[in-house]
Amino acid sequence: MKPAPFDYDDPRSVDEAIGLLARYGDECKVLAGGQSLVPLMNFRLARPGRLVDINGIESLGQVKVENGRLLLGAMVRHAQVERSNDIAARWPLLHDAIVWVGHSQIRNRGTVGGSVAHADPAAELPCALAALDAKFHVLSRRGPRVLRWDQIFVSEFTTSLAPDELLTAIEVPPQDPSTGVAFVEFARRHGDFALGGAAVSITLARNGTCSDVAVALLSAGPRPVRAEEAERRLKGGQVDEAAIKQASAAAVQGLHPTSDLHGSREYRVKLLQVMTERALTKAVHLATRRAA
Amino acid sequence: MRKIAVQINGRVVEGEVEPRLLLGDFIRDNAGLTGTHFGCEHGVCGACTVQLDGEPVRSCLMFAVQAHGRRIATVEGMAPSATELHPLQQAFHESHALQCGFCTPGILMTMEAFLRAEPDPSPERIRAALAGNLCRCTGYQNIVTGVRLAADRMK
Ligand SMILES: Cc1cc2nc3c(=O)[nH]c(=O)nc-3n(C[C@H](O)[C@H](O)[C@H](O)COP(=O)(O)OP(=O)(O)OC[C@H]3O[C@@H](n4cnc5c(N)ncnc54)[C@H](O)[C@@H]3O)c2cc1C
Ligand code: FES
Ligand code: FES
C-alpha cells in the first residue's frame, strides 16, 4: 500500500462536508477527482490524517445556467465540460481549454473544483477562468464567500481557501455571442503540463475596433497572469497584425517565469509572446467572422 | 476498515479494506485479477487503466472504497470465451501491437471505450487517444494499425 494510513469520510451533503471540515480543519483534505492529490499521497509527499471524499455529494456535480450565467458545481468532471454542446457553443473558451487537460482517463475523474483548488500555475482551467472573469463560490460553517480569480489564486499551489472551506461552484458570466476566443499552449507532448500558453477572448465592434478583450497567460508566473497592458493597448483600436505584435510584446513585459530543465526564463518569455500572438490572431479571426 | 462490494467483470467481489487501499491493488490482490498492471503509480503511464462504469480511469488514483457499488471492467473480461479473443485483442495479436505486453491491458481498456465513442477513427485520432498510455516496446506504430484493423472488423 502506497499512501500513509488515513481516516475516511464520504459525506452525502455539502452541510455534512463543511461540518467535517470545521471539526477536523488542518488535519484533513478534501478528496475530489484525486488526480492531483492521490499521486502526492502515493509518493507520501502528502500525508493527510483524514480525507473528506466529496464524490458522493450529488448537488456538487451539476452544470446549471442561471440568468445566462454558467454555474459549474465543484465536482463537475473535466470530461463533462468537454462533452457539453451547450458549453462548447456558449462558453467556447472553457471547452477549448479543458481538452488540453491531461489525458481522457484523467479528465474522466478530474474535477473543475479540484483544478482550481490545486492551483497549479500550468493548469489550463484557472487560466481560462481568469480570462473569463469567473467567480468562485466558497462555503464553510462561518458562512459563504464569493471570490474573484485574483482573490482565490494566491501563488503556486496556493489558494486563499481556508482549511475549513469548501469550493462549491464556479460561476462564469455570459459571453457575447460575437466574441472570438482561442486557447493555445505548447507542451512537449499533448497531455503534458504546458511550458507556456495563452487564453484570449475578444469582441469587435461593427467598425472592426476592439470593444472588449481579455488576455490570460499560462505558466507565466506563480498564478494565472492577466496581460493588462496588452489589453489596454488593444481596446478601442483596430486589431491588425501590427497591433497584435505590439500587444504580444507588451504582454510579456516584466514577466518572470521560473527557469527549469524544461526551459530557461528567456525561452519561456519568448514562447509566451508567440503563444499570445497566435491566440490573438486566431481569436480575432473568429471574432471577425462572427461580427460579419 | 470498510466493507465493500465491487462488481468486477460481472462478478461481485467483496472485501474488508483499509481506506488507503488503491483500486488497482484491490483488483490484483483481492479479486486475483493480475492483468491490471501498476507501472508508475502516479497517473502517468496508463498501465493500470480500467473502466469505471464504462469509462477509462486510472486504478492507481482511486481508492477501492470509492468503487463500492460500482461496475469495473478489466482486461480479463474482454474475451467472449476461453478460446476466443475480443476483436481488439485479436487485431493486436495479428498486428504485432504488443511485445512484452505490460502496457497492453491499459491500452485495450482505453481503446475499447474509444472505439465505442468513435467507431471510425483516423490514425491521428487514434494517436491522440493513445497519448495517455506509454509503451516502451512497440514504438506505437503497430498499436495504431491494430486499433484501425479492429475498427474495420467491428463495423
Ligand atoms: C498524468 C496526469 C496529467 C495531468 N495533466 C494535467 C494538465 O495537463 N493540465 C491540468 O490542468 N491538470 C493536469 N492534471 C491534473 C488534473 O487536472 C487534476 O484533476 C486536477 O489538478 C485536480 O483535480 P481533482 O478533482 O483530481 O482534485 P484532487 O486531486 O482530488 O484534489 C486536488 C487538491 O484540491 C483540493 N480540493 C479539491 N476539490 C476541492 C473543493 N471542492 N474544495 C476545496 N478543496 C478542494 C484537494 O484537497 C487537493 O488539495 C494531470 C494529472 C495527471 C495524473
Ligand atoms: S500505474 Fe497508474 S498510471 Fe501508471
Ligand atoms: S509492449 Fe512492452 S510496454 Fe508496450
Side-chain angles (χ1 to χ4, degrees), chain A residues 20-189:
Chain A
L20 287 161
L21 293 179
R23 185 153 153 216
Y24 297 107
D26 259 345
E27 267 173 64
C28 68
K29 277 239 158 235
V30 171
L31 174 63
Q35 304 300 292
S36 294
L37 181 57
V38 181
L40 293 172
M41 291 175 67
N42 284 352
F43 284 132
R44 299 207 179 185
L45 291 169
R47 308 173 74 129
R50 176 176 294 265
L51 287 187
V52 177
D53 181 351
I54 57 173
N55 283 271
I57 307 177
E58 260 170 49
S59 62
L60 291 179
Q62 288 170 3
V63 178
K64 283 188 276 191
V65 179
E66 275 174 23
N67 302 325
R69 302 179 153 263
L70 177 68
L71 280 171
L72 294 172
M75 282 305 293
V76 169
R77 314 265 171 198
H78 300 140
Q80 254 174 290
V81 174
E82 185 182 355
R83 288 186 207 126
S84 160
N85 293 332
D86 198 34
I87 292 177
R90 294 165 72 183
W91 290 275
L93 188 62
L94 276 185
H95 178 269
D96 293 1
I98 218 112
V99 294
W100 288 102
V101 176
H103 316 290
S104 63
Q105 302 98 332
I106 307 301
R107 296 193 295 273
N108 280 339
R109 286 297 286 171
T111 67
V112 295
S115 280
V116 169
H118 191 57
D120 188 323
E124 288 82 3
L125 194 63
C127 176
L129 292 170
L132 292 167
D133 288 312
K135 291 203 176 111
F136 302 87
H137 294 247
V138 172
L139 191 66
S140 75
R141 274 281 150 88
R142 295 173 291 134
R145 292 202 289 159
V146 180
L147 303 171
R148 291 192 315 264
W149 74 269
D150 58 333
Q151 294 172 319
I152 192 165
F153 297 114
V154 174
S155 182
E156 282 128 331
F157 306 106
T158 310
T159 65
S160 60
L161 292 175
D164 65 340
E165 283 183 317
L166 186 71
L167 174 65
T168 54
I170 300 166
E171 177 187 328
V172 191
Q175 284 257 279
D176 186 320
S178 68
T179 300
V181 300
F183 195 100
V184 298
E185 70 171 48
F186 178 76
R188 289 292 297 276
R189 295 167 308 180

Side-chain angles (χ1 to χ4, degrees), chain A residues 1-6 8-10 31-35 38-39 41-44 51 53 55 83 103-106 108-109 189-190, chain B residues 2 18-22 25 40-44 49 52 55-58 60-63 65-66 70 106 110 129 131-134:
Chain A
M1 262 177 278
K2 293 293 177 296
F6 55 82
Y8 174 80
D9 287 295
D10 50 348
L31 174 63
Q35 304 300 292
V38 181
M41 291 175 67
N42 284 352
F43 284 132
R44 299 207 179 185
L51 287 187
D53 181 351
N55 283 271
R83 288 186 207 126
H103 316 290
S104 63
Q105 302 98 332
I106 307 301
N108 280 339
R109 286 297 286 171
R189 295 167 308 180
H190 189 128
Chain B
R2 276 212 177 201
E18 275 189 70
R20 64 171 166 156
L21 184 73
L22 296 173
D25 281 321
C40 66
E41 300 187 282
H42 65 282
V44 175
T49 305
L52 170 72
E55 292 189 341
V57 299
R58 304 293 204 223
C60 69
L61 299 185
M62 250 186 91
F63 297 108
V65 290
Q66 298 185 287
R70 310 286 293 268
T110 304
N133 293 81
L134 298 180

Side-chain angles (χ1 to χ4, degrees), chain B residues 120-140:
Chain B
D120 190 20
S122 66
E124 288 67 38
R125 288 295 304 156
I126 298 173
R127 284 202 169 79
L130 267 175
N133 293 81
L134 298 180
C135 172
R136 298 182 57 166
C137 303
T138 62
Y140 303 101

